[in-house]
Amino acid sequence: MIVLKSRLLAALQDEPVEDCVSHPIEEILGETLAKNPSEARSWFHSIFLAHVRNPAAAAALLQCAGRLRRNLLMPEGKQMALAGLNSPSIEVREAAVSAIEQWGGEDLAQALRDHRETVPWLGDYVKNVIRDLSSP
């Protein structure tokens, strides 16, 4: 896992994570999750927690995580999203909302209902995601 961590962190530093553009982190995560899902989820969660105070890194990790299927990252993915929602960084909170939007699920919709967003545009985004996730 040390080599994979180095690869993941190098990919994070080498290339910015952009909307709608695949990132090498996704491939690294996909490969790791395919080999040992439980260990990989725990490993990725620990990397996220180690970088949660670095808004750019935490947001990028959440963005990439959100692009993976929900079942690949749960329950650790939910824990990451909840930590992201509680971040003082707008960038990290937005990435958490985006991941929740992509993963879906009533449990995550409820997490958004419980969240109190203070930034107006991000609060609107949260409301829209709640509405979308609550629609039949």
Side-chain angles (χ1 to χ4, degrees):
M1 288 293 181
I2 293 171
V3 171
L4 287 172
K5 181 179 179 181
S6 297
R7 280 182 56 207
L8 187 138
L9 294 176
L12 186 61
Q13 290 179 335
D14 291 346
E15 194 172 321
V17 176
E18 300 178 55
D19 290 342
C20 303
V21 177
S22 178
H23 192 276
I25 289 174
E26 296 166 57
E27 183 179 331
I28 295 166
L29 277 175
E31 291 171 5
T32 308
L33 287 163
K35 292 176 186 171
N36 189 335
S38 179
E39 185 179 346
R41 287 191 308 268
S42 178
W43 167 78
F44 186 62
H45 184 227
S46 70
I47 291 172
F48 173 77
L49 291 176
H51 291 84
V52 76
R53 288 198 170 98
N54 176 341
L61 292 169
L62 276 171
Q63 285 176 300
C64 289
R67 295 174 185 173
L68 298 174
R69 289 190 326 268
R70 174 190 167 98
N71 66 322
L72 291 175
L73 290 174
M74 296 303 155
E76 289 85 348
K78 180 179 179 179
Q79 294 168 359
M80 291 170 57
L82 293 174
L85 288 175
N86 289 312
S87 173
S89 166
I90 296 168
E91 179 183 16
V92 176
R93 293 196 312 271
E94 179 185 17
V97 175
S98 177
I100 289 170
E101 178 180 31
Q102 293 173 80
W103 289 330
E106 179 54 35
D107 59 331
L108 294 174
Q110 187 59 50
L112 287 179
R113 285 186 205 98
D114 295 340
H115 176 66
R116 298 294 168 244
E117 184 52 58
T118 58
V119 176
W121 68 264
L122 189 50
D124 289 342
Y125 180 30
V126 168
K127 288 176 191 171
N128 289 333
V129 172
I130 291 169
R131 185 190 69 236
D132 291 348
L133 294 180
S134 301
S135 298

